[in-house]
Amino acid sequence: MVESSQPCVPGLFAADGGARVLGSRCTACGTPYFPKAASCHNPKCPGSKMEPCEFGGRGKVWSYSVADFPPPPPHKHDKPFKPYAIAVVDLDSGLRLVGQMVDPPSAMSVGAAVELVVDTLYHEEGKAFTTWKFKLA
Amino acid sequence: MQDVAVLGVGLHRFGKTGDDVVGNKSVTELCRHAVDKALEDAGVSWRQIEAVAAASSRFSGGKGWGLNGNDVVEDIGSTGIPVFNMSAGCAAGGNAFNVGYSLVAGGMYDLVLVVGGEVMPKGMIQTSGVEEATDPEFLRQRCIGFPGPSFWATLARRRMHDYGTTEEQFASVTVKARKCSVGNPYARFQKEITLADVLASPYVSNPLRLFEICPVSNGAAAAVICSKRKAREFTKKPVWVASSAVATLTFEDSLPRGLAGPVPSGPSFHTEVKGAVTRAFERAGIGPKDVSFTELQDNTCYYELAFPEEWGLCEPGESERLVAAGETTPTGRMPINPSGGFVSFGEATTAMGVFQIAEVTWQLRGQSGARQVPGAKVGLAQTNGLGGNATAAILKR
Ligand SMILES: [Zn+2]
């Protein structure tokens, strides 16, 4: 039986056809944004031109930390709480993205190659709620 | 512009709700104590204060959103003076000091009170209060779960990668901080702690441990500042404000503050902090080598290593060696947080920027007792807060 799942916040990421986060990019200066930005924040940009842009694929861990205690609300997690690693990843596409790791904290290292995935964050009312995460590649 | 002096300072000792120090005192009671002390120290009466710059927050009490300068003024006596309430996260105290300074320097007022105080909720600070997909902080906490200590731990982990910093070296910063706090009557913790104690404390966010992260505290701080003309009426030896600066982060900042940003081409650091400190140096005409000691925002021991390097107080990658050699103690070549810092006080958010002004003033007057920096002439104070706010002030005698 496949449990039914839905994104923890709708409209931020997609799973079908490869995990990716749904952001935007300024075509005038190349700056990537996630979540989508209405206009470019770069003070040196010649003129904001925003287009939708999806970011996924591979990257390298810039650094990481461990949530050894459950974060306060509005975070949601399954019980009992299991410490997880949080990675700050420089994606090959030029976006520095923060996300939970699928792999345990003990497997982590700075510089490790990872890829974007969509995975379960917590369960509620018989449903799995998903988010974007990283997995060691 | 007219010269600005710090005439008097006061603190309410920091503590934890329910303890013997702060008990169940309200933020107004804590502030009243600090203000009374500052007025007494300055030799000024309440009716002489012409304006108030207050550090405001959303954490506790008062008019529904935290410390509110109006409550303090009502409590001490409604004289009808203007009250400016400043909100800048943990930088609010520094921000209030800057606004008070600017009001006096600009010639608007001659005698101004700066005040900050807090009764903190227990546990990890909840950074998002609304369930709205348009709030980036909500998204960060719901979709990832990235509390404040993990932000600091990410920077600490990166330093371990860049410079080979060890967990023992992080822990040794806490040992030094707590040693400074011994005999500081205002610190919440006033006992020494061993390296083994620190390393035995649990991880809050690996690689950072419980004793390496400042807890939340209740406390209050106040400073009376005035024009040069006014200062002459009260004292022969005022402490001078050489400069006060505020900055916010720049587009190039690439620290993981939100969900994502562009991959930077250069190093990643607190651009708001460097901006404020650089401006403070420039405006004072004082360089990093002229600083006798620094009171910086050590939410975690990591910052005692990183900030001095980022501001040019020492060379990149040199801090661990300086800590090991005792150079960051009050009697060393680069004293950092002789007060004991946030790690010894705990953080009462809006009080912190003003607490630093009090410590720097005492140091410059030679009134800091066991933690005195010998011959201190120039002191640097720095805060930073949620939203990418930072402040820096340089005081001299
Ligand atoms: Zn642009």
Side-chain angles (χ1 to χ4, degrees), chain A residues 63 66 68 74-75 84 96 100, chain B residues 141-142 144-145 154 205-206 261:
Chain A
S63 188
V66 181
D68 287 285
H75 187 64
Y84 55 86
R96 174 172 282 184
Q100 269 197 27
Chain B
Q141 298 311 334
R142 172 61 53 83
I144 304 168
T154 304
S205 185
N206 186 327

Side-chain angles (χ1 to χ4, degrees), chain A residues 25-31 33 39-50, chain B residues 251:
Chain A
R25 193 187 281 277
C26 172
T27 57
C29 71
T31 303
Y33 292 92
S39 59
C40 187
H41 305 164
N42 179 2
K44 291 176 189 149
C45 180
S48 172
K49 279 191 188 138
M50 304 300 291
Chain B
F251 177 73

Side-chain angles (χ1 to χ4, degrees), chain B residues 16-67:
Chain B
K16 182 183 179 182
T17 300
D19 70 8
D20 294 341
V21 177
V22 296
N24 291 305
K25 284 187 188 176
S26 71
V27 67
T28 310
E29 286 174 277
L30 296 173
C31 286
R32 185 183 187 117
H33 177 87
V35 172
D36 283 346
K37 289 282 175 194
L39 291 171
E40 186 187 318
D41 188 39
V44 167
S45 77
W46 170 242
R47 286 193 309 276
Q48 290 175 288
I49 297 292
E50 298 168 9
V52 174
S56 195
S57 87
R58 62 196 160 82
F59 288 121
S60 68
K63 305 250 188 295
W65 75 82
L67 170 63

